[in-house]
Amino acid sequence: TVGAVARDANGHVAAATSTGGVTGKRWGRIGDSPLIGAGTWADDACAVSATGAGEYFVRVGAGRTIAARVKMLGESIGTATDAVLGEIVALGGTGGLIVVAPSGETAWRFSTPGMYRATASAEGARVVAIY
Amino acid sequence: MSDRTWTLTVHGGSGRFERGIIPAEADAGARAGLGRALDAGSAVLAAGGTAVDAVQAAIEVLEDDPHFNAGRGAALSGEGRIELDAAIMDGRAREAGSVAQVTTPRHPIALARAVMDEGTHVMLAGPGAEAFAAARGVEAADAGWFELPERRRQLEELLARGNDAFDVDMKYG
């Protein structure tokens, strides 16, 4: 699974996710990536892309819930992502998420030993990481 | 953040690694792919482009990169097929496009974007999504483009061990 979240110079955000699923997946099995609100979400609160054990991200409604916590509870995207990934882990799921807010704040969280991830900004910041 | 600033973040999957580490070539290849995705999306944003165009540009790079489980290099299903899913969403007006179980678009994210731009539906799946792709002239690729021998080996190993299909991306990433 691959994903991207961006905030443009006009303060708008967007998210995208693409995947082959999981090796040996059952015929007809769909995970969270194409489900708007689960593995992919963007509104005026934040943009989210997820990866991992998709069924758990679906059951939690991961992307939509992070945005709702930001909007309704006033949480930062980091705090909201911690809470939602915590729900996923409590159910037995694993995985990770990348998030960006219209403010330009970014966050990534993952419960697995690693997540391929990278970020860049107009200020010249650039990070590529795995573990 | 100043008015003219922008930011882009990408991921290439999460999971555990066989024996705890990634082989050096896979590590270097993945890092290079992530860097190319950053370059493609950042070029859009630095030119004043939209966030939705930037995320599509970044994802298309990763869909073409065999180090990642999407597009070329995707995982194989239990039947040995490659069935791809993708979604895109624009926070401005909550426009969204999504496709599931498609087998022909070289860039599934481009098909999801076409669904979003056409505006009638949010999600199309299977043969209907394929027909939409053909009607919209979304670039197609044959199965040979997507499948890697390593992915076939991983499927055969998984099935031989009788493991269930549920596997976090990077174990066979």
Side-chain angles (χ1 to χ4, degrees), chain A residues 6-38:
Chain A
R7 183 263 197 200
D8 61 31
N10 296 308
H12 300 305
V13 297
T17 314
S18 182
T19 187
V22 290
T23 299
K25 68 183 176 184
R26 174 188 293 273
W27 188 13
R29 183 266 184 182
I30 305 293
D32 63 314
S33 298
L35 299 188
I36 298 299

Side-chain angles (χ1 to χ4, degrees), chain A residues 51-60 84-96 110-112, chain B residues 14 166 168:
Chain A
T51 170
E55 277 71 7
Y56 296 88
F57 287 75
V58 174
R59 291 163 66 194
V60 168
V84 169
L85 187 54
E87 285 184 55
I88 288 164
V89 170
L91 288 174
T94 59
F110 51 100
S111 71
T112 49
Chain B
S14 69
F166 205 89
V168 177

Side-chain angles (χ1 to χ4, degrees), chain B residues 22-151:
Chain B
I22 303 178
E25 186 288 326
D27 182 299
R31 290 174 189 269
L34 293 170
R36 284 193 297 272
L38 285 184
D39 293 343
S42 298
V44 172
L45 294 166
T50 61
V52 72
D53 285 346
V55 295
Q56 179 178 347
I59 293 290
E60 289 188 355
V61 167
L62 297 174
E63 287 175 332
D64 280 345
D65 188 315
H67 292 91
F68 301 100
N69 174 20
R72 179 169 172 74
L76 270 62
S77 73
E79 286 72 33
R81 289 163 44 91
I82 286 182
E83 298 170 345
L84 305 169
D85 307 329
I88 191 165
M89 188 165 188
D90 187 341
R92 281 176 297 185
R94 295 201 203 185
E95 292 169 326
S98 172
V99 291
Q101 284 194 308
V102 292
T103 60
T104 59
R106 174 178 174 185
H107 297 123
I109 201 66
L111 181 54
R113 176 70 185 269
V115 172
M116 181 181 95
D117 289 347
E118 196 269 349
T120 305
H121 305 296
V122 170
M123 186 171 198
L124 295 176
E130 309 277 14
F132 181 84
R136 306 290 286 205
V138 174
E139 183 185 359
D142 62 30
W145 164 258
F146 297 113
E147 181 175 333
L148 301 182
E150 172 62 6
R151 286 295 191 184

